[in-house]
Amino acid sequence: MSVSTQVDLVYQRESRRVLATLIRLLGDFELAEEAMQEAFAAALQQWPLQGVPDNPRAWLVSTGRHKGIDQIRRRQTASQHLQRLDLDDIPTHELNEDSIADDQLRLIFTCCHPALAIETQLAMTLREMCGLSTEQVARALLQQPATVAQRIVRAKRKIREAGIPYDVPERKALPQRLHSVLQVIYLVFNEGYSSTSGEHVVNIDMAREAIRLGTLMANLLPDTEVYGLLALMLLQDSRRDARQSTQGELITLEDQDRSLWHQTQINEGVRWLEAALQRPPAGSYTLQAAIAAVHAEASSTANTDWNQIIGLYDVLLQRNPSPVIALNRAVAVAMRDGPQAGLALLDVLTDAPALQNYHLLPAARADLLRRSGQLSAAREAYQQALQLVQLGPEQRFLQQRLETLALAATQTDRSQKS
Protein backbone atom coordinates (compact mmCIF):
# COMPACT_ATOMS: atom_id res chain seq x y z
CA MET A 1 0.00 0.00 0.00
CA SER A 2 1.42 3.41 -0.99
CA VAL A 3 2.01 6.07 1.64
CA SER A 4 -0.49 8.40 -0.03
CA THR A 5 -3.13 5.67 0.24
CA GLN A 6 -2.26 5.21 3.91
CA VAL A 7 -2.62 8.96 4.47
CA ASP A 8 -6.05 8.84 2.79
CA LEU A 9 -7.13 6.00 5.08
CA VAL A 10 -5.87 7.83 8.15
CA TYR A 11 -7.80 10.91 7.03
CA GLN A 12 -11.01 8.93 6.63
CA ARG A 13 -10.69 7.25 10.01
CA GLU A 14 -8.95 9.80 12.19
CA SER A 15 -9.47 13.32 10.85
CA ARG A 16 -12.45 14.16 13.04
CA ARG A 17 -10.66 12.93 16.17
CA VAL A 18 -7.59 14.96 15.23
CA LEU A 19 -9.80 18.01 14.66
CA ALA A 20 -11.54 17.59 18.03
CA THR A 21 -8.22 17.61 19.88
CA LEU A 22 -6.85 20.55 17.86
CA ILE A 23 -9.93 22.61 18.68
CA ARG A 24 -9.23 22.06 22.36
CA LEU A 25 -5.51 22.83 22.01
CA LEU A 26 -5.88 25.88 19.74
CA GLY A 27 -9.18 27.21 21.04
CA ASP A 28 -10.66 28.08 17.64
CA PHE A 29 -12.66 26.04 15.12
CA GLU A 30 -11.41 27.62 11.91
CA LEU A 31 -7.79 27.74 13.05
CA ALA A 32 -7.98 24.06 14.05
CA GLU A 33 -9.45 23.11 10.64
CA GLU A 34 -6.66 24.94 8.81
CA ALA A 35 -4.02 23.40 11.08
CA MET A 36 -5.40 19.91 10.51
CA GLN A 37 -5.27 20.34 6.73
CA GLU A 38 -1.68 21.56 6.99
CA ALA A 39 -0.79 18.57 9.16
CA PHE A 40 -2.12 16.12 6.57
CA ALA A 41 -0.29 18.03 3.83
CA ALA A 42 2.89 17.66 5.88
CA ALA A 43 2.21 13.94 6.26
CA LEU A 44 2.06 13.57 2.48
CA GLN A 45 5.47 15.19 2.24
CA GLN A 46 7.26 13.64 5.23
CA TRP A 47 5.86 10.13 5.66
CA PRO A 48 7.22 8.85 2.32
CA LEU A 49 10.71 9.90 3.52
CA GLN A 50 10.48 9.17 7.24
CA GLY A 51 7.95 6.34 7.25
CA VAL A 52 4.46 6.25 8.73
CA PRO A 53 4.71 6.95 12.49
CA ASP A 54 3.64 4.31 15.00
CA ASN A 55 0.88 6.63 16.21
CA PRO A 56 -0.29 8.62 13.17
CA ARG A 57 -3.03 10.38 15.10
CA ALA A 58 -0.63 11.69 17.75
CA TRP A 59 1.81 12.82 15.03
CA LEU A 60 -0.98 14.71 13.24
CA VAL A 61 -2.19 16.36 16.44
CA SER A 62 1.33 17.45 17.40
CA THR A 63 2.11 18.69 13.89
CA GLY A 64 -1.26 20.41 13.58
CA ARG A 65 -0.80 22.18 16.90
CA HIS A 66 2.57 23.56 15.85
CA LYS A 67 1.11 24.60 12.47
CA GLY A 68 -1.69 26.39 14.29
CA ILE A 69 0.73 28.20 16.60
CA ASP A 70 2.80 29.23 13.56
CA GLN A 71 -0.34 30.74 12.05
CA ILE A 72 -1.08 32.64 15.25
CA ARG A 73 2.45 34.01 15.35
CA ARG A 74 2.02 35.33 11.82
CA ARG A 75 -1.03 37.31 12.79
CA GLN A 76 -0.32 40.83 13.92
CA THR A 77 -3.30 40.84 16.28
CA ALA A 78 -2.44 37.51 17.92
CA SER A 79 -0.78 38.67 21.13
CA GLN A 80 -3.83 38.08 23.29
CA HIS A 81 -4.43 34.66 21.74
CA LEU A 82 -0.80 33.65 22.22
CA GLN A 83 -1.00 34.39 25.91
CA ARG A 84 -3.71 31.75 26.27
CA LEU A 85 -1.67 28.98 24.66
CA ASP A 86 1.06 26.85 26.14
CA LEU A 87 3.75 26.89 23.46
CA ASP A 88 5.72 24.00 24.90
CA ASP A 89 5.43 20.52 23.43
CA ILE A 90 2.22 18.65 24.18
CA PRO A 91 2.57 16.42 27.25
CA THR A 92 2.37 12.73 26.37
CA HIS A 93 -0.84 12.28 28.36
CA GLU A 94 -2.58 14.77 26.05
CA LEU A 95 -2.42 12.29 23.18
CA ASN A 96 -3.58 9.02 24.73
CA GLU A 97 -6.75 7.27 23.57
CA ASP A 98 -8.87 8.34 26.54
CA SER A 99 -7.92 11.98 26.10
CA ILE A 100 -8.79 12.01 22.41
CA ALA A 101 -12.09 10.21 23.05
CA ASP A 102 -12.89 12.86 25.67
CA ASP A 103 -12.10 15.55 23.10
CA GLN A 104 -14.77 14.20 20.80
CA LEU A 105 -17.34 14.27 23.59
CA ARG A 106 -16.21 17.82 24.41
CA LEU A 107 -16.76 18.81 20.80
CA ILE A 108 -20.25 17.29 20.67
CA PHE A 109 -21.33 19.02 23.86
CA THR A 110 -19.81 22.32 22.75
CA CYS A 111 -21.68 22.20 19.46
CA CYS A 112 -24.85 21.23 21.33
CA HIS A 113 -24.64 24.08 23.84
CA PRO A 114 -28.11 25.43 24.75
CA ALA A 115 -27.02 28.93 23.73
CA LEU A 116 -27.28 27.71 20.12
CA ALA A 117 -30.57 26.99 18.36
CA ILE A 118 -31.34 23.28 17.95
CA GLU A 119 -31.05 23.45 14.14
CA THR A 120 -27.67 25.14 14.51
CA GLN A 121 -26.51 22.56 17.06
CA LEU A 122 -27.28 19.74 14.65
CA ALA A 123 -25.76 21.42 11.60
CA MET A 124 -22.63 22.44 13.50
CA THR A 125 -21.97 19.01 14.96
CA LEU A 126 -22.63 17.08 11.77
CA ARG A 127 -20.29 19.37 9.84
CA GLU A 128 -17.46 19.75 12.33
CA MET A 129 -17.64 16.58 14.39
CA CYS A 130 -18.52 14.14 11.67
CA GLY A 131 -17.01 15.71 8.58
CA LEU A 132 -20.18 15.71 6.51
CA SER A 133 -20.22 18.16 3.64
CA THR A 134 -22.59 21.11 3.83
CA GLU A 135 -24.74 19.41 1.19
CA GLN A 136 -24.87 16.17 3.19
CA VAL A 137 -25.83 18.07 6.33
CA ALA A 138 -28.55 19.89 4.41
CA ARG A 139 -30.00 16.62 3.12
CA ALA A 140 -29.87 15.05 6.58
CA LEU A 141 -31.77 18.01 8.05
CA LEU A 142 -34.03 18.50 5.02
CA GLN A 143 -32.77 22.09 4.61
CA GLN A 144 -31.10 24.24 1.97
CA PRO A 145 -27.25 24.13 1.81
CA ALA A 146 -26.98 27.93 1.91
CA THR A 147 -29.05 28.07 5.10
CA VAL A 148 -26.90 25.39 6.72
CA ALA A 149 -23.66 27.15 5.73
CA GLN A 150 -24.82 30.45 7.25
CA ARG A 151 -25.84 28.76 10.49
CA ILE A 152 -22.45 27.06 10.84
CA VAL A 153 -20.55 30.32 10.30
CA ARG A 154 -22.71 32.15 12.84
CA ALA A 155 -22.37 29.30 15.35
CA LYS A 156 -18.56 29.34 15.20
CA ARG A 157 -18.58 33.08 15.74
CA LYS A 158 -20.95 32.79 18.70
CA ILE A 159 -18.90 30.02 20.33
CA ARG A 160 -15.76 32.14 20.01
CA GLU A 161 -17.26 35.47 21.08
CA ALA A 162 -19.37 34.07 23.93
CA GLY A 163 -16.51 31.96 25.24
CA ILE A 164 -18.64 28.80 25.29
CA PRO A 165 -16.55 26.25 27.22
CA TYR A 166 -15.06 23.36 25.29
CA ASP A 167 -15.90 20.66 27.82
CA VAL A 168 -18.35 17.96 28.86
CA PRO A 169 -20.73 19.61 31.36
CA GLU A 170 -21.09 18.43 34.92
CA ARG A 171 -23.34 15.38 35.34
CA LYS A 172 -26.26 17.44 36.64
CA ALA A 173 -26.18 19.55 33.45
CA LEU A 174 -25.99 16.59 31.03
CA PRO A 175 -29.76 16.01 30.63
CA GLN A 176 -30.24 19.55 29.33
CA ARG A 177 -28.11 18.76 26.26
CA LEU A 178 -28.80 15.05 26.00
CA HIS A 179 -31.57 15.28 23.39
CA SER A 180 -29.43 17.26 20.96
CA VAL A 181 -26.37 15.07 21.45
CA LEU A 182 -28.33 11.87 20.84
CA GLN A 183 -30.03 13.37 17.80
CA VAL A 184 -26.64 14.24 16.33
CA ILE A 185 -25.26 10.75 16.93
CA TYR A 186 -28.42 9.30 15.37
CA LEU A 187 -28.07 11.47 12.25
CA VAL A 188 -24.42 10.51 11.94
CA PHE A 189 -25.37 6.86 12.11
CA ASN A 190 -28.11 7.32 9.52
CA GLU A 191 -25.61 8.83 7.09
CA GLY A 192 -23.33 5.86 7.67
CA TYR A 193 -26.10 3.26 7.60
CA SER A 194 -27.68 4.63 4.43
CA SER A 195 -25.53 7.19 2.62
CA THR A 196 -27.37 10.09 1.02
CA SER A 197 -24.93 10.34 -1.90
CA GLY A 198 -21.96 8.65 -3.50
CA GLU A 199 -21.48 5.08 -4.70
CA HIS A 200 -21.73 3.06 -1.49
CA VAL A 201 -24.93 2.10 0.32
CA VAL A 202 -23.12 1.86 3.65
CA ASN A 203 -20.35 4.04 5.05
CA ILE A 204 -18.98 1.52 7.53
CA ASP A 205 -16.50 3.90 9.17
CA MET A 206 -19.15 6.54 9.84
CA ALA A 207 -21.60 4.00 11.24
CA ARG A 208 -18.91 2.59 13.51
CA GLU A 209 -18.00 6.09 14.67
CA ALA A 210 -21.61 6.74 15.66
CA ILE A 211 -21.74 3.43 17.54
CA ARG A 212 -18.48 4.28 19.29
CA LEU A 213 -19.83 7.66 20.35
CA GLY A 214 -23.05 6.02 21.50
CA THR A 215 -21.04 3.60 23.61
CA LEU A 216 -19.13 6.51 25.17
CA MET A 217 -22.43 8.16 26.00
CA ALA A 218 -23.84 4.95 27.51
CA ASN A 219 -20.81 4.72 29.79
CA LEU A 220 -21.02 8.43 30.66
CA LEU A 221 -24.74 8.69 31.37
CA PRO A 222 -27.01 5.73 32.24
CA ASP A 223 -30.26 6.73 30.54
CA THR A 224 -33.10 4.93 28.79
CA GLU A 225 -32.71 6.77 25.49
CA VAL A 226 -28.92 6.49 25.50
CA TYR A 227 -29.29 2.73 25.82
CA GLY A 228 -32.10 2.71 23.29
CA LEU A 229 -30.09 4.60 20.68
CA LEU A 230 -27.09 2.32 21.12
CA ALA A 231 -29.35 -0.71 20.76
CA LEU A 232 -30.94 0.74 17.62
CA MET A 233 -27.58 1.41 15.97
CA LEU A 234 -26.20 -2.02 16.79
CA LEU A 235 -29.31 -3.80 15.50
CA GLN A 236 -29.47 -1.79 12.28
CA ASP A 237 -25.74 -2.02 11.62
CA SER A 238 -25.85 -5.81 12.06
CA ARG A 239 -27.40 -6.01 8.55
CA ARG A 240 -24.65 -4.04 6.80
CA ASP A 241 -23.13 -6.94 4.82
CA ALA A 242 -26.52 -8.01 3.50
CA ARG A 243 -27.62 -4.54 2.38
CA GLN A 244 -25.34 -4.30 -0.62
CA SER A 245 -23.99 -6.80 -3.11
CA THR A 246 -20.31 -7.52 -3.66
CA GLN A 247 -20.58 -5.02 -6.52
CA GLY A 248 -21.99 -2.41 -4.12
CA GLU A 249 -25.57 -2.59 -5.38
CA LEU A 250 -28.57 -2.03 -3.13
CA ILE A 251 -30.38 -5.08 -1.72
CA THR A 252 -33.78 -4.45 -0.14
CA LEU A 253 -34.79 -5.97 3.20
CA GLU A 254 -37.06 -8.45 1.46
CA ASP A 255 -34.22 -9.85 -0.66
CA GLN A 256 -31.43 -9.83 1.92
CA ASP A 257 -29.57 -13.00 2.85
CA ARG A 258 -30.25 -12.99 6.59
CA SER A 259 -27.47 -15.44 7.27
CA LEU A 260 -25.15 -12.47 6.64
CA TRP A 261 -26.66 -10.54 9.53
CA HIS A 262 -24.20 -10.35 12.42
CA GLN A 263 -25.79 -12.36 15.21
CA THR A 264 -23.26 -11.33 17.86
CA GLN A 265 -24.08 -7.69 17.21
CA ILE A 266 -27.80 -8.47 17.27
CA ASN A 267 -27.39 -10.12 20.66
CA GLU A 268 -25.50 -7.09 21.96
CA GLY A 269 -28.18 -4.76 20.64
CA VAL A 270 -30.91 -6.80 22.31
CA ARG A 271 -29.04 -6.61 25.63
CA TRP A 272 -28.91 -2.83 25.44
CA LEU A 273 -32.59 -2.79 24.43
CA GLU A 274 -33.49 -4.85 27.47
CA ALA A 275 -31.50 -2.45 29.66
CA ALA A 276 -33.43 0.46 28.13
CA LEU A 277 -36.80 -1.22 28.69
CA GLN A 278 -35.94 -1.64 32.37
CA ARG A 279 -35.97 2.17 32.68
CA PRO A 280 -39.47 3.16 31.51
CA PRO A 281 -41.02 5.01 29.85
CA ALA A 282 -39.60 3.93 26.50
CA GLY A 283 -38.62 6.85 24.29
CA SER A 284 -38.33 7.22 20.52
CA TYR A 285 -34.97 5.50 20.11
CA THR A 286 -35.95 2.62 22.37
CA LEU A 287 -39.16 2.05 20.40
CA GLN A 288 -37.26 2.13 17.11
CA ALA A 289 -34.79 -0.35 18.57
CA ALA A 290 -37.70 -2.61 19.53
CA ILE A 291 -38.91 -2.49 15.90
CA ALA A 292 -35.42 -3.34 14.67
CA ALA A 293 -35.31 -6.26 17.13
CA VAL A 294 -38.54 -7.69 15.70
CA HIS A 295 -36.97 -7.62 12.23
CA ALA A 296 -33.80 -9.21 13.60
CA GLU A 297 -35.77 -12.09 15.13
CA ALA A 298 -37.64 -12.90 11.90
CA SER A 299 -36.33 -15.54 9.51
CA SER A 300 -37.87 -13.75 6.50
CA THR A 301 -40.08 -10.83 5.54
CA ALA A 302 -43.08 -13.17 5.32
CA ASN A 303 -42.45 -14.48 8.84
CA THR A 304 -42.05 -11.03 10.39
CA ASP A 305 -44.50 -10.11 13.16
CA TRP A 306 -46.01 -7.12 11.37
CA ASN A 307 -48.74 -6.77 14.01
CA GLN A 308 -46.11 -6.11 16.64
CA ILE A 309 -44.22 -3.73 14.40
CA ILE A 310 -47.35 -1.71 13.60
CA GLY A 311 -48.24 -1.59 17.29
CA LEU A 312 -44.80 -0.22 18.10
CA TYR A 313 -45.13 2.36 15.31
CA ASP A 314 -48.50 3.42 16.77
CA VAL A 315 -46.87 4.14 20.14
CA LEU A 316 -43.92 5.81 18.43
CA LEU A 317 -46.18 8.14 16.45
CA GLN A 318 -48.04 9.13 19.59
CA ARG A 319 -44.81 10.12 21.33
CA ASN A 320 -43.01 11.52 18.31
CA PRO A 321 -45.36 12.59 15.50
CA SER A 322 -43.22 12.55 12.37
CA PRO A 323 -44.05 12.16 8.67
CA VAL A 324 -41.01 9.89 8.24
CA ILE A 325 -42.25 7.57 10.99
CA ALA A 326 -45.74 7.70 9.45
CA LEU A 327 -44.19 6.68 6.13
CA ASN A 328 -42.44 3.70 7.71
CA ARG A 329 -45.67 2.70 9.45
CA ALA A 330 -47.56 2.86 6.13
CA VAL A 331 -45.07 0.43 4.59
CA ALA A 332 -45.52 -1.93 7.54
CA VAL A 333 -49.30 -1.75 7.16
CA ALA A 334 -48.92 -2.59 3.47
CA MET A 335 -46.90 -5.66 4.38
CA ARG A 336 -49.68 -6.84 6.69
CA ASP A 337 -52.85 -5.66 4.95
CA GLY A 338 -51.81 -5.33 1.31
CA PRO A 339 -50.54 -2.52 -0.94
CA GLN A 340 -53.86 -0.66 -1.18
CA ALA A 341 -53.96 -0.17 2.58
CA GLY A 342 -50.45 1.24 2.48
CA LEU A 343 -51.22 3.50 -0.48
CA ALA A 344 -54.17 5.03 1.36
CA LEU A 345 -51.85 6.02 4.22
CA LEU A 346 -49.20 7.36 1.85
CA ASP A 347 -51.78 9.58 0.14
CA VAL A 348 -52.23 11.43 3.44
CA LEU A 349 -48.50 12.22 3.51
CA THR A 350 -48.24 13.60 -0.03
CA ASP A 351 -48.39 17.25 1.05
CA ALA A 352 -46.19 16.95 4.15
CA PRO A 353 -43.58 19.76 3.79
CA ALA A 354 -40.78 17.65 5.28
CA LEU A 355 -41.28 14.96 2.62
CA GLN A 356 -41.41 17.12 -0.48
CA ASN A 357 -37.81 16.28 -1.45
CA TYR A 358 -37.66 12.96 0.38
CA HIS A 359 -37.15 10.32 -2.30
CA LEU A 360 -38.33 7.44 -0.13
CA LEU A 361 -41.94 8.68 -0.27
CA PRO A 362 -42.35 8.31 -4.06
CA ALA A 363 -40.12 5.20 -3.95
CA ALA A 364 -42.41 3.55 -1.41
CA ARG A 365 -45.46 4.64 -3.36
CA ALA A 366 -43.96 3.25 -6.57
CA ASP A 367 -43.29 -0.13 -4.97
CA LEU A 368 -46.83 -0.43 -3.62
CA LEU A 369 -48.32 0.63 -6.97
CA ARG A 370 -46.17 -2.00 -8.67
CA ARG A 371 -47.32 -4.66 -6.21
CA SER A 372 -50.96 -3.71 -6.79
CA GLY A 373 -50.60 -3.95 -10.59
CA GLN A 374 -50.91 -0.20 -11.30
CA LEU A 375 -47.87 -0.21 -13.58
CA SER A 376 -48.36 3.15 -15.31
CA ALA A 377 -48.73 5.00 -12.01
CA ALA A 378 -45.80 3.03 -10.61
CA ARG A 379 -43.57 4.19 -13.46
CA GLU A 380 -44.43 7.82 -12.76
CA ALA A 381 -43.66 7.38 -9.06
CA TYR A 382 -40.33 5.66 -9.79
CA GLN A 383 -39.38 8.51 -12.13
CA GLN A 384 -40.24 11.04 -9.42
CA ALA A 385 -38.08 9.18 -6.89
CA LEU A 386 -35.25 8.93 -9.41
CA GLN A 387 -35.20 12.71 -9.81
CA LEU A 388 -34.72 13.15 -6.05
CA VAL A 389 -32.26 10.41 -5.11
CA GLN A 390 -28.52 11.18 -4.87
CA LEU A 391 -27.05 7.75 -4.05
CA GLY A 392 -25.69 5.84 -7.06
CA PRO A 393 -26.84 2.33 -6.02
CA GLU A 394 -30.35 3.64 -5.30
CA GLN A 395 -30.45 5.40 -8.66
CA ARG A 396 -29.52 2.17 -10.41
CA PHE A 397 -32.04 0.18 -8.35
CA LEU A 398 -34.87 2.56 -9.29
CA GLN A 399 -33.77 2.61 -12.93
CA GLN A 400 -33.78 -1.18 -12.98
CA ARG A 401 -37.32 -1.21 -11.62
CA LEU A 402 -38.36 1.24 -14.33
CA GLU A 403 -36.82 -0.94 -17.02
CA THR A 404 -38.58 -4.01 -15.64
CA LEU A 405 -41.93 -2.18 -15.72
CA ALA A 406 -41.28 -0.96 -19.26
CA LEU A 407 -40.54 -4.54 -20.36
CA ALA A 408 -43.71 -5.76 -18.68
CA ALA A 409 -45.75 -3.05 -20.44
CA THR A 410 -44.25 -4.03 -23.83
CA GLN A 411 -45.08 -7.69 -23.27
CA THR A 412 -48.62 -6.75 -22.27
CA ASP A 413 -49.10 -4.67 -25.43
CA ARG A 414 -47.84 -7.52 -27.61
CA SER A 415 -50.14 -9.95 -25.87
CA GLN A 416 -53.15 -7.70 -26.39
CA LYS A 417 -52.35 -7.16 -30.09
CA SER A 418 -51.95 -10.84 -30.75
Side-chain angles (χ1 to χ4, degrees):
M1 183 186 298
S2 68
V3 173
S4 62
T5 300
Q6 292 182 64
V7 173
D8 288 340
L9 290 174
V10 171
Y11 186 89
Q12 294 171 19
R13 295 172 181 172
E14 306 289 358
S15 61
R16 310 330 290 180
R17 302 185 195 186
V18 171
L19 177 63
T21 298
L22 287 174
I23 291 172
R24 172 170 61 84
L25 296 173
L26 298 172
D28 183 273
F29 276 84
E30 293 180 352
L31 177 60
E33 289 169 355
E34 293 174 10
M36 181 187 72
Q37 296 300 331
E38 288 192 26
F40 274 100
L44 284 171
Q45 293 179 342
Q46 297 181 33
W47 291 4
L49 302 175
Q50 302 172 359
V52 178
D54 293 336
N55 189 338
R57 189 191 308 164
W59 188 97
L60 289 161
V61 169
S62 180
T63 302
R65 179 175 182 270
H66 289 297
K67 296 288 186 183
I69 291 173
D70 288 343
Q71 287 193 45
I72 294 170
R73 284 181 169 138
R74 291 195 294 267
R75 298 176 182 176
Q76 293 181 352
T77 59
S79 58
Q80 184 177 2
H81 196 165
L82 273 171
Q83 292 173 5
R84 297 191 292 108
L85 295 175
D86 177 10
L87 300 187
D88 296 331
D89 288 338
I90 304 171
T92 303
H93 73 270
E94 293 277 15
L95 299 179
N96 62 34
E97 293 294 326
D98 292 338
S99 172
I100 292 177
D102 289 344
D103 284 334
Q104 292 192 285
L105 283 179
R106 289 186 184 99
L107 180 52
I108 290 180
F109 278 101
T110 300
C111 293
C112 293
H113 194 279
L116 304 174
I118 181 64
E119 295 86 357
T120 302
Q121 294 176 21
L122 296 174
M124 181 76 172
T125 313
L126 290 171
R127 181 68 184 90
E128 304 304 324
M129 174 73 201
C130 309
L132 300 188
S133 68
T134 302
E135 290 74 18
Q136 286 176 311
V137 175
R139 284 194 291 271
L141 300 180
L142 303 179
Q143 297 175 1
Q144 294 298 318
T147 302
V148 169
Q150 291 172 1
R151 282 181 174 153
I152 291 172
V153 170
R154 288 196 295 265
K156 290 179 181 178
R157 185 184 305 123
K158 186 166 187 176
I159 289 172
R160 182 176 62 251
E161 294 176 352
I164 291 175
Y166 185 70
D167 209 349
V168 177
E170 296 181 359
R171 185 171 294 274
K172 63 182 181 181
L174 286 174
Q176 183 182 14
R177 300 195 215 174
L178 183 60
H179 175 74
S180 297
V181 171
L182 294 184
Q183 191 171 1
V184 164
I185 295 174
Y186 180 55
L187 289 173
V188 174
F189 175 76
N190 278 347
E191 181 63 27
Y193 174 74
S194 186
S195 301
T196 55
S197 62
E199 286 299 321
H200 300 283
V201 176
V202 179
N203 184 327
I204 294 176
D205 288 338
M206 187 171 291
R208 285 177 177 169
E209 178 67 9
I211 291 172
R212 192 186 66 81
L213 293 171
T215 303
L216 288 175
M217 284 298 299
N219 294 327
L220 177 69
L221 184 64
D223 178 89
T224 298
E225 280 295 77
V226 175
Y227 293 168
L229 175 58
L230 182 53
L232 172 61
M233 294 190 294
L234 288 166
L235 289 165
Q236 296 283 60
D237 186 61
S238 69
R239 310 175 197 163
R240 61 184 178 275
D241 292 341
R243 296 184 61 243
Q244 56 188 0
S245 69
T246 54
Q247 292 77 34
E249 299 304 315
L250 175 68
I251 303 176
T252 62
L253 178 64
E254 186 176 7
D255 295 327
Q256 286 174 20
D257 178 358
R258 300 191 178 209
S259 68
L260 297 177
W261 291 6
H262 294 263
Q263 193 60 48
T264 301
Q265 196 166 332
I266 290 172
N267 294 339
E268 184 182 359
V270 169
R271 285 195 296 271
W272 282 107
L273 174 59
E274 291 172 347
L277 293 173
Q278 291 173 5
R279 296 169 175 263
S284 173
Y285 298 122
T286 301
L287 290 168
Q288 290 180 70
I291 293 170
V294 176
H295 283 295
E297 293 168 354
S299 60
S300 67
T301 302
N303 292 329
T304 300
D305 188 345
W306 294 107
N307 280 329
Q308 187 177 1
I309 287 178
I310 292 168
L312 288 166
Y313 271 127
D314 289 340
V315 178
L316 183 57
L317 271 175
Q318 289 175 1
R319 298 186 182 177
N320 183 27
S322 159
V324 174
I325 294 173
L327 168 59
N328 292 335
R329 180 185 179 277
V331 173
V333 169
M335 297 304 297
R336 184 189 67 179
D337 300 334
Q340 290 299 331
L343 285 167
L345 294 173
L346 291 182
D347 287 343
V348 178
L349 301 173
T350 302
D351 296 326
L355 299 182
Q356 292 309 298
N357 295 314
Y358 191 58
H359 74 279
L360 292 179
L361 176 58
R365 181 176 175 78
D367 185 63
L368 297 184
L369 287 166
R370 177 185 64 84
R371 291 172 185 263
S372 66
Q374 302 177 61
L375 302 188
S376 177
R379 286 199 299 273
E380 293 181 8
Y382 276 126
Q383 288 167 347
Q384 182 183 357
L386 195 56
Q387 292 174 351
L388 297 173
V389 73
Q390 300 291 324
L391 183 66
E394 283 189 298
Q395 291 173 338
R396 292 190 291 274
F397 175 82
L398 294 172
Q399 187 61 49
Q400 186 179 44
R401 283 290 168 89
L402 272 171
E403 292 170 359
T404 300
L405 289 177
L407 180 60
T410 301
Q411 292 175 341
T412 300
D413 290 342
R414 290 175 179 174
S415 173
Q416 291 175 346
K417 290 179 181 179
S418 60

